[in-house]
């Protein structure tokens, strides 16, 4: 997965951090791994955050129990050191975001796609807004078309789809995401609809048939030019660089 490979794994190399792989996606494996490795950051899909929330809710009543008791249950489940989180690649109820934020985990929301090296927008720390996807990350330009579709361009946006003319992919140099967005009064993006993408799916399926024939050349091309994913990593990490700076307000 693009995000996991370039933003998480290479991001961990950039940070000098330990990157932990789970043996399988089961919730019991997640809980066991967290207790043993005591992560400080957890990045995952909404389903895993919901499973984690449900596990905590089985041990305490999150509506009426003492807040210290709830916090202790969360810390026991996650290893006791979890401070930062990111949920992306799907919808997560605002109540779940706000639960973790209330009890010490700064859970942020992100939005992206493989064509953008995995990430386009993210909610800044301490500025979560329900249903918001946040701001464009450094290194990617975003604008909305007349119908509200998000268009993107930048140094770590893909050069194009395999064996597909640019005029079938880009609009005046901008890549359409297929997602209809709107801006709130703070300039944060919110997804409100999805454009039909039958034609894009047909193009992708057609290209996939011939992909294996060019795999060796394609792999060489990726290995030979890591500039785009590295720009993506640096843009993503820019958000975290002032996490421990008490004077940073942006």
């Amino acid at each position: 997965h693009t995000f996991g490979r370039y933003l998480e794994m290479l991001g961990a190399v950039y940070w000098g951090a330990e990157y932990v792989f789970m043996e399988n996606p089961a919730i019991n494996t997640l809980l066991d791994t967290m207790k043993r490795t005591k992560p400080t950051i957890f990045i995952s899909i909404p389903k895993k955050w919901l499973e984690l929330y449900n596990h905590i809710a089985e041990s305490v009543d999150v509506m009426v129990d003492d807040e210290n008791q709830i916090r202790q249950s969360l810390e026991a489940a996650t290893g006791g050191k979890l401070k930062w989180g990111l949920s992306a690649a799907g919808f997560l109820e605002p109540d779940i975001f706000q639960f973790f934020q209330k009890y010490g985990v700064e859970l942020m929301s992100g939005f992206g796609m493989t064509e953008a090296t995995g990430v386009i927008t993210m909610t800044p720390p301490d500025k979560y807004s329900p249903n918001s996807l946040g701001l464009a990350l450094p290194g990617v330009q975003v604008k909305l078309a007349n119908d509200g579709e998000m268009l993107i361009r930048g140094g770590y946006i893909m050069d194009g789809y395999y064996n597909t003319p640019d005029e079938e992919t880009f609009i005046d140099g901008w890549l359409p995401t297929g997602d209809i967005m709107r801006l709130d009064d703070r300039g944060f993006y919110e997804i409100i609809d999805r454009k039909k993408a039958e034609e894009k799916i047909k193009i992708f399926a057609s290209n996939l048939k011939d992909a294996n024939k060019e795999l060796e050349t394609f792999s060489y091309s990726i290995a030979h030019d890591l500039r785009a994913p590295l720009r993506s990593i640096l843009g993503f990490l820019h958000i975290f660089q002032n996490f421990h700076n008490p004077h940073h307000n942006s």
Side-chain angles (χ1 to χ4, degrees), residues 135-150:
L135 302 169
L137 289 169
V140 61
Q141 294 176 270
V142 176
K143 73 174 183 177
L144 300 184
N146 292 335
D147 62 357
E149 181 177 12
M150 176 180 277

Side-chain angles (χ1 to χ4, degrees), residues 141-232:
Q141 294 176 270
V142 176
K143 73 174 183 177
L144 300 184
N146 292 335
D147 62 357
E149 181 177 12
M150 176 180 277
L151 309 177
I152 59 174
R153 70 180 183 185
Y156 59 87
I157 308 303
M158 69 167 190
D159 290 334
Y161 291 114
Y162 171 74
N163 205 28
T164 302
D166 284 353
E167 56 267 25
E168 294 182 15
T169 302
F170 299 94
I171 301 175
D172 297 327
W174 294 83
L175 176 67
T177 64
D179 297 290
I180 305 298
M181 303 278 188
R182 66 183 173 199
L183 285 169
D184 65 17
D185 55 4
R186 296 189 298 171
F188 285 20
Y189 291 93
E190 179 183 349
I191 186 168
I192 58 174
D193 201 359
R194 173 76 180 164
K195 290 186 74 171
K196 293 182 179 180
E198 287 89 347
E199 190 60 35
K200 287 186 178 181
I201 293 173
K202 290 178 183 177
I203 292 173
F204 176 77
S206 175
N207 293 340
L208 194 60
K209 293 179 182 179
D210 298 323
N212 285 335
K213 298 178 183 179
E214 303 293 337
L215 183 57
E216 183 175 348
T217 301
F218 183 63
S219 299
Y220 174 82
S221 175
I222 292 176
H224 221 62
D225 187 0
L226 290 176
R227 290 172 297 174
L230 286 174
R231 279 194 293 265
S232 178

Side-chain angles (χ1 to χ4, degrees), residues 9-29:
M9 188 173 72
L10 292 185
V13 173
Y14 178 90
W15 279 316
E18 181 179 359
Y19 187 45
V20 178
F21 293 85
M22 292 199 312
E23 296 177 5
N24 61 68
I27 180 60
N28 288 337
T29 302

Side-chain angles (χ1 to χ4, degrees), residues 125-138:
D126 300 317
K127 294 183 180 180
Y128 172 77
S129 179
N131 300 317
S132 170
L133 300 174
L135 302 169
L137 289 169

